[in-house]
Amino acid sequence: MQVIFLLILGAAAGFIATRLMRLDTDIPTTVAIGALGALIGGFMLRFLIMLSGWAAGFVGAVIGAMLLIWLWRTYGPGR
């Protein structure tokens, strides 16, 4: 059940992050960015999750996805 929640949260976070970073991607890439961003953000902001619940996890997922997009743009293939 947590994996399904992570995919849903990741899809939403990836969508928001790709739009904020003006990155045009397909749906699987958006979900992957969001899911990986959720993992990164979850690790970075674990203490906030304890304090304020799932909303902090969502914020962390968006921030993590934006960080992943920035890293991809900066250090990805062809850079």
Side-chain angles (χ1 to χ4, degrees):
M1 192 63 153
Q2 290 180 349
V3 173
I4 293 171
F5 182 70
L6 175 65
L7 288 175
I8 293 169
L9 182 71
F15 176 78
I16 291 172
T18 55
R19 296 308 169 251
L20 288 174
M21 300 292 290
R22 293 179 177 27
L23 182 68
D24 189 26
T25 60
D26 57 357
I27 293 173
T29 304
T30 301
V31 172
I33 288 171
L36 289 173
L39 290 173
I40 293 169
F43 287 127
M44 288 175 31
L45 302 173
R46 184 174 295 265
F47 68 94
L48 286 179
I49 293 172
M50 286 186 244
L51 296 176
S52 60
W54 69 270
F58 184 73
V59 170
V62 171
I63 292 170
M66 291 174 65
L67 175 66
L68 187 64
I69 291 168
W70 178 79
L71 287 170
W72 180 263
R73 284 183 174 173
T74 304
Y75 303 109
R79 305 294 184 244

